[in-house]
Amino acid sequence: MADGTLVERLRQYLRGLSPEARALLMTELERGLLRGEDVAGAELVLQELRRDARETARPKRPGNLARLFFQPLEPFLVDDTATHSHPGRIARVVLEPMWEWICRDLMPGEAKAVTEQVARAFEDGDAQRAEELARAFQDRVATRMEEALAAASADEKARRRISGQIGTPRALDDVRAILTVIKSRHTLARFGAQLPSHIKTLDDSNIDAVKAIIEAPTSGGPVLFVPVLVMTMGRLAAPWQLVRLATRAAGTDNATRIAETPYAVTVDIVLAEIQRLISELKAELRSGQGLAVGALLKSIHDSARGLRAEINFSHESPWARALAALRTQVSDLLKGEIETLPARVRRLLRPRPIKEIAPNSTLDETDVSDTEAQIAFVNTCRAYAGELALSELTTRTWTDLEHYLDPATAALVENLRVSGESDRPFRQSQLDAAVRFCRKVFGEDYAALLLKARNVAAAAERKAAKG
């Protein structure tokens, strides 16, 4: 377990780095993990880098009062769509429409007055006064939320009106989730203070102590059981290890026995988190940046493998079917990226007759860089192929690539050696691309030999031109 002060200092240090430095650090850590290097704290650093990237990308919530009001929700916020249900968690995107509902419909006059009072307190440098105003406002909002939910449960028209005012897909569920946290914020804060700030591994050395904290009367009992589990997962370096509480409580890894315990919900929490990671992976692939793809694949792989290792799922189990569906999602998501690689490499490196080459043209650098990145991506997929149902596809694709590149490079060297003045730049750019691709596929030694052959061929061509 890491000391909370050290973890916070790490977060502050990472946030102080430039975006370029954070991207480079993430890339190097991912490469180290793929090589099997045991870098101390790598998982924590990658987790913080990904979290910081998401926070940098999204707009900040406006208003000091809104920030203070939603502060207790921070451990339960999840970056996902408002339609995806996470046990005990709240989609961050619902906060803005929820705040608008509070200020516009629930208690507009008071919200405006307190907003102005909090702003004045901050202007006067009295942060404590601002927090006191916000806490009192939280209590009054909680009371009004309870009244609104009671009206909605008794009247279908009221239920539709509130849902329409908030406008989120699961509006009343969102209200209930926020209300639970706001009402219990002091209890949850005490629980968080007792829990270790970072748990590198949840195992026999600490699991009973963590379980005792969760089950203590001061932790809120059944009403707050799911929220405290979510808070616990937030402290884990490997969130999937939350299910170890379930196997501990059941005294077995049998899925049927686990399903009979209150801790069965930990499996649902972890499955929902895997689904969120898959959605994040999909968005990352669409963005074309690919900075976090390796870390996301590793998280998904480790979570799926961890679930299967910790729990003996039967084929008929709903959990087993849900996990299989998630693995299929990943496979389908990555399939297109993997299958198109050999054809893309062939298109770039295909030996061409001189009539197909425009004088003094070269390969498009962006196309070459994208293909090089795609090779690295497929290689990353190979590392996690077994657990993500990609073994056959990645093996076939990589073998196809190896069988094409080895003979193709010899032809490219010969074409450069006999090239003329007009086609020389293009053939040289093809061979330069081949060196970069072979470095990813065969390693540095092979690429160095190919580069030497390229230089010899270029020298021979220059000598022939002078003769």
Side-chain angles (χ1 to χ4, degrees):
M1 300 181 187
D3 181 79
T5 303
L6 293 177
V7 173
E8 186 56 37
R9 286 172 61 189
L10 170 64
R11 288 171 178 160
Q12 292 176 2
Y13 171 76
L14 293 174
R15 288 167 185 165
L17 297 176
S18 67
E20 295 78 11
R22 289 196 295 269
L24 179 61
L25 178 58
M26 182 182 291
T27 300
E28 291 303 316
L29 285 174
E30 287 183 6
R31 287 174 178 169
L33 290 172
L34 289 175
R35 291 192 295 266
E37 297 175 1
D38 185 16
V39 182
E43 293 283 2
L44 175 62
V45 174
L46 279 170
Q47 178 180 314
E48 293 301 324
L49 286 170
R50 285 172 50 206
R51 178 183 297 161
D52 183 67
R54 291 195 299 269
E55 291 178 351
T56 302
R58 65 172 173 261
K60 300 296 183 182
R61 290 194 300 274
N64 289 321
L65 179 57
R67 177 176 54 82
L68 292 174
F69 181 88
F70 288 124
Q71 200 169 51
L73 274 62
E74 192 61 38
F76 309 99
L77 296 180
V78 58
D79 294 300
D80 203 351
T81 64
T83 56
H84 185 195
S85 176
H86 290 264
R89 303 176 86 180
I90 302 160
R92 195 181 293 271
V93 293
V94 311
L95 298 188
E96 184 175 348
M98 192 66 63
W99 184 246
E100 291 177 355
W101 174 65
I102 292 170
C103 295
R104 184 191 61 235
D105 302 305
L106 196 64
M107 40 199 317
E110 187 166 356
K112 184 176 185 298
V114 178
T115 296
E116 294 171 353
Q117 292 168 7
V118 168
R120 282 196 299 270
F122 276 116
E123 288 173 2
D124 295 339
D126 193 349
Q128 182 177 349
R129 172 62 177 161
E131 291 176 1
E132 290 171 354
L133 288 166
R135 286 196 294 269
F137 185 67
Q138 285 171 330
D139 292 333
R140 293 192 292 275
V141 170
T143 299
R144 294 297 301 276
M145 281 183 167
E146 287 180 317
E147 294 170 355
L149 288 173
S153 65
D155 183 1
E156 175 64 28
K157 185 177 180 180
R159 181 159 55 250
R160 289 198 302 268
R161 183 179 68 254
I162 294 172
S163 296
Q165 288 172 343
I166 298 172
T168 59
R170 304 169 59 253
L172 294 178
D173 289 337
D174 294 335
V175 175
R176 293 186 188 97
I178 291 173
L179 176 61
T180 297
V181 176
I182 294 298
K183 285 183 62 179
S184 307
R185 61 189 186 277
H186 302 303
T187 301
L188 292 170
R190 285 194 296 270
F191 170 78
Q194 296 178 63
L195 200 65
S197 60
H198 181 71
I199 304 174
K200 183 177 180 181
T201 304
L202 188 64
D203 56 19
D204 288 341
S205 67
N206 54 25
I207 190 168
D208 289 328
V210 171
K211 189 168 174 287
I213 297 172
I214 293 171
E215 296 174 358
T218 55
S219 297
V223 173
L224 297 182
F225 185 65
V226 173
V228 301
L229 288 175
V230 170
M231 288 186 72
T232 303
M233 184 175 72
R235 307 293 177 90
L236 298 176
W240 64 265
Q241 291 183 0
L242 189 72
V243 301
R244 289 180 174 172
L245 291 166
T247 57
R248 195 69 160 195
T252 177
D253 65 355
N254 183 275
T256 302
R257 293 275 299 279
I258 290 172
E260 296 171 352
T261 73
Y263 283 92
V265 71
T266 62
V267 183
D268 299 318
I269 292 172
V270 172
L271 286 171
E273 175 64 5
I274 296 174
Q275 179 65 76
R276 186 194 68 79
L277 291 170
I278 293 172
S279 298
E280 191 176 333
L281 174 63
K282 185 176 182 179
E284 190 71 21
L285 290 171
R286 284 179 173 175
S287 74
Q289 296 179 359
L291 290 176
V293 165
L296 287 168
L297 278 175
K298 184 178 188 307
S299 295
I300 294 167
H301 167 273
D302 290 353
S303 298
R305 183 178 62 180
L307 274 178
R308 295 207 305 143
E310 297 293 328
I311 301 176
N312 181 15
F313 294 115
S314 66
H315 293 298
E316 299 79 19
S317 165
W319 289 334
R321 291 194 295 270
L323 183 57
L326 292 173
R327 296 173 73 213
T328 299
Q329 280 188 48
V330 178
S331 178
D332 292 343
L333 182 61
L334 302 179
K335 185 177 180 181
E337 294 283 337
I338 296 171
E339 285 182 328
T340 59
L341 177 60
R344 187 170 186 174
V345 171
R346 287 189 181 94
R347 177 175 59 80
L348 289 172
L349 301 188
R350 175 178 60 87
R352 304 180 192 183
I354 192 169
K355 63 181 180 180
E356 293 184 12
I357 301 174
N360 298 312
S361 63
T362 61
L363 289 177
D364 181 80
E365 173 58 28
T366 300
D367 203 359
V368 173
S369 295
D370 288 349
T371 303
E372 185 180 21
Q374 190 174 358
I375 293 172
F377 166 75
V378 172
N379 196 28
T380 299
C381 292
R382 292 174 68 216
Y384 307 121
E387 197 57 54
L388 302 180
L390 292 168
S391 293
E392 182 179 348
L393 177 60
T394 53
T395 298
R396 184 174 67 248
T397 299
W398 202 255
T399 300
D400 192 0
L401 203 58
E402 290 175 330
H403 288 173
Y404 173 75
L405 280 174
D406 198 28
T409 54
L412 292 174
V413 170
E414 178 61 21
N415 285 342
L416 177 60
R417 190 181 68 80
V418 299
S419 64
E421 186 174 347
S422 65
D423 63 324
R424 188 180 310 131
F426 184 84
R427 301 202 188 278
Q428 186 163 306
S429 71
Q430 278 191 308
L431 198 48
D432 289 341
V435 171
R436 291 164 64 176
F437 298 165
C438 287
R439 182 175 289 113
K440 298 290 184 185
V441 176
F442 299 117
E444 192 62 48
D445 290 345
Y446 188 103
L449 289 174
L450 181 57
L451 183 61
K452 184 180 294 186
R454 176 252 195 220
N455 293 336
V456 169
E461 167 270 318
R462 287 193 297 269
K463 184 176 180 180
K466 288 180 181 178

